[in-house]
Amino acid sequence: MTQVVTRFPPSPTGYLHIGGARTALFNWLFARQQGGIFILRIEDTDTERSKEEYTQSIMESLKWLGLDWDQGPYFQSRRMDIYREHVQKLLDEGKAYYCHCSPEELEAKRQAAMAQGKKPMYDRTCRDLGLSKTARSVVRLKAPLDGQTLFSDLIKGVISFDNKELDDLVILRSDGTATYHLAVVVDDVTMGVTHIIRGDDHVNNTPRQLLIFQALGYTAPQFAHVPMILGSDKARLSKRHGATSVLAYQQMGYLPEALLNYLTRLGWSFGDEEVFSSEDLLTKFSLENVGKSAGVFNPEKLLWLNSHWIRESDPDRLALLLSEFLQKHEVKAEDKEYLKEVVKTLQPRSKTMVEMAEGSLFYFKDMPYEPKAAQKFLKPVLSPVLKDFLSRLPHMDQLSEEIMAPLLASLAEHHQLKVGDIAQALRVALTGKSVSPGIFDVLRLLGKDRAHKRIEAALRWLNERAAEPGF
């Protein structure tokens, strides 16, 4: 049995976006599942727009997602001699020809065809003239003049095209560089690609490429065209629907397993299951379960999955990630064990690592009071109970829930207040916010000294406000 070989061929003219990442993922999953080979190929023949910055970003994105490749990266810009050899073969066999029509002539022909209501195709002026190479000539493929080109798509079924609708493609430019269609066919043949899994925006490219495979005498790989990803308004996904770059999601605090999980479910299903680990996907993924209709990108669903994977993640791993996000807040957190304990208090409520970092700042530095939180929970009536709590704090052996819970209950009874009111006042005093991890976790991790300092600051704040009219 032939070994499965798939490929992901991004163009380095921009950053890796969500649609491209899903294509890479499906190719990677299929290759891994079949014990095959996954190739990374950089299609950088557009020399004006291709940049090394984008190439590095694409590879960094794939590595972050865990989509490791077995061969490559291959660069098309370094394979021009191979392409020219194949073009020469087609010329020698009379399956391609030199075209001398100038860009101006081609544009005039296009305009004339459109004026007559015809498809703006090349009229094959040079097809049978037997012309030789010149400084400005291009090479075109001799496409069949009648019949049909059809293929059986692994997702969409049989698709056919009338050959009368297909043009004599330019396969070699006047500067000696191969065009997209010629280059990808030669690459797929010479790299032994067996399955081409790509977005269904490439369906119309397939018959053109099949004609090149046929002209070269090669058996074409199997095709599987995956439905597009649309925004909530059913338009093609773009920046206006939110971040589309993979690394943008990394910077926004998403975990790679959440993005992989979500992207796989965009167009693929396995019953009613929503949550899949990489191991699950390698077991359950199949092209048979890829749908034919477009997937609609739902940011809320992705956020829900991210919160799930944060809850499920190892605190040691999240501690390392958290330290990186804290650096953006100019916080250097080097105590790994302390960071791990911080993570454990925030895992149940954090939707992103950015949110976790912002929610953890009070553990590392004094924070200003949120105005609404202070106004609602730091009231003069609570000054006596805060002073009472402060007086007892030094005598506590440890600030565990087992010790602190009875203390708060005792204070509430003595001062005729609700435990919740005292807890909220302490929360604002210690964190600056009305929402935080459990108050006993906060006390335990801050420790006596910092807790004492912050409660004293809250009492000073209350005393200063007491003199204000209407407080």
Side-chain angles (χ1 to χ4, degrees), residues 44 49 74 94 125 177 208 212 290 297 348 381 405 409 428:
D44 58 344
R49 296 171 58 216
Y74 296 108
T125 298
T177 60
R208 295 170 171 83
I212 300 175
V290 174
F297 189 78
V381 69
V428 177

Side-chain angles (χ1 to χ4, degrees), residues 61 64-66 246 248-263 276 278 302-315 317-322 324-325 343 347 350-354 356:
S61 299
W64 179 67
L65 289 170
V246 168
Y249 283 99
Q250 181 189 28
Q251 293 158 8
M252 290 162 61
Y254 285 80
L255 300 184
E257 54 265 48
L259 196 54
L260 286 175
N261 187 162
Y262 184 67
L263 288 178
F276 299 90
S278 294
L302 173 57
L303 194 61
W304 175 81
L305 278 170
N306 201 57
S307 64
H308 167 83
W309 285 111
I310 285 177
R311 290 194 302 273
E312 294 294 314
S313 292
D314 177 18
R317 174 210 176 188
L318 293 183
L320 289 174
L321 286 175
L322 179 59
E324 296 174 9
F325 282 94
V343 164
Q347 265 183 291
S350 298
K351 294 180 180 178
T352 68
M353 292 307 298
V354 166
M356 184 182 286

Side-chain angles (χ1 to χ4, degrees), residues 13-26:
T13 55
Y15 300 107
L16 181 62
H17 55 76
I18 291 298
R22 189 188 63 170
T23 298
L25 171 59
F26 282 12

Side-chain angles (χ1 to χ4, degrees), residues 170-395:
V170 173
I171 55 176
L172 194 72
R173 302 182 185 93
S174 58
D175 63 0
T177 60
T179 59
Y180 163 75
H181 290 297
L182 187 282
V184 298
V185 168
V186 172
D187 284 343
D188 288 337
V189 167
T190 56
M191 294 176 188
V193 172
T194 61
H195 292 77
I196 296 174
I197 304 169
R198 59 187 181 184
D200 63 7
D201 54 331
H202 284 280
V203 166
N204 288 336
N205 290 331
T206 305
R208 295 170 171 83
Q209 292 164 10
L210 284 171
L211 292 181
I212 300 175
F213 278 110
Q214 292 167 12
L216 289 170
Y218 296 128
T219 300
Q222 290 185 276
F223 290 89
H225 287 93
V226 179
M228 297 293 290
I229 301 176
L230 305 179
S232 56
D233 57 359
K234 303 300 174 68
R236 185 168 178 171
L237 192 66
S238 66
K239 289 182 180 179
R240 64 190 174 86
H241 297 108
T244 56
S245 160
V246 168
L247 291 183
Y249 283 99
Q250 181 189 28
Q251 293 158 8
M252 290 162 61
Y254 285 80
L255 300 184
E257 54 265 48
L259 196 54
L260 286 175
N261 187 162
Y262 184 67
L263 288 178
T264 309
R265 285 289 288 112
L266 272 178
W268 172 84
S269 63
F270 191 83
D272 295 327
E273 291 185 40
E274 293 289 347
V275 178
F276 299 90
S277 66
S278 294
E279 292 74 21
D280 292 333
L281 292 173
L282 286 170
T283 302
K284 298 173 179 177
F285 178 80
S286 67
L287 292 176
E288 287 78 13
N289 286 338
V290 174
K292 297 181 181 180
S293 58
V296 178
F297 189 78
N298 183 339
E300 289 76 22
K301 188 69 167 289
L302 173 57
L303 194 61
W304 175 81
L305 278 170
N306 201 57
S307 64
H308 167 83
W309 285 111
I310 285 177
R311 290 194 302 273
E312 294 294 314
S313 292
D314 177 18
D316 284 302
R317 174 210 176 188
L318 293 183
L320 289 174
L321 286 175
L322 179 59
S323 66
E324 296 174 9
F325 282 94
L326 283 172
Q327 288 176 19
K328 298 174 184 178
H329 295 278
E330 299 181 348
V331 171
K332 288 186 177 181
E334 298 175 348
D335 186 335
K336 293 180 181 178
E337 285 304 311
Y338 183 72
L339 264 175
K340 185 166 74 171
E341 291 304 309
V342 167
V343 164
K344 288 178 181 178
T345 70
L346 291 161
Q347 265 183 291
R349 64 179 65 245
S350 298
K351 294 180 180 178
T352 68
M353 292 307 298
V354 166
E355 188 177 295
M356 184 182 286
E358 291 172 348
S360 72
L361 290 177
F362 72 87
Y363 282 122
F364 303 96
K365 59 183 180 181
D366 296 342
M367 300 296 291
Y369 302 138
E370 291 179 349
K372 289 183 179 179
Q375 184 177 7
K376 185 174 181 180
F377 298 111
L378 284 184
K379 297 180 177 179
V381 69
L382 289 161
S383 287
V385 73
L386 288 177
K387 289 178 182 177
D388 199 350
F389 182 88
L390 206 56
S391 69
R392 302 190 192 199
L393 194 58
H395 307 292

Side-chain angles (χ1 to χ4, degrees), residues 399-411:
L399 305 188
S400 65
E401 182 173 356
E402 291 76 15
I403 293 174
M404 300 309 294
L407 173 60
L408 288 195
S410 173
L411 290 172

Side-chain angles (χ1 to χ4, degrees), residues 440-451:
F440 302 118
D441 285 327
V442 170
L443 282 164
R444 176 175 56 86
L445 286 177
L446 286 179
K448 288 183 187 180
D449 291 343
R450 286 197 292 170

Side-chain angles (χ1 to χ4, degrees), residues 120-137:
M121 296 171 58
Y122 176 56
D123 63 2
R124 299 184 168 95
T125 298
C126 301
R127 181 179 171 113
D128 299 313
L129 298 182
L131 300 174
S132 301
K133 179 181 179 180
T134 66
R136 297 185 63 187
S137 64

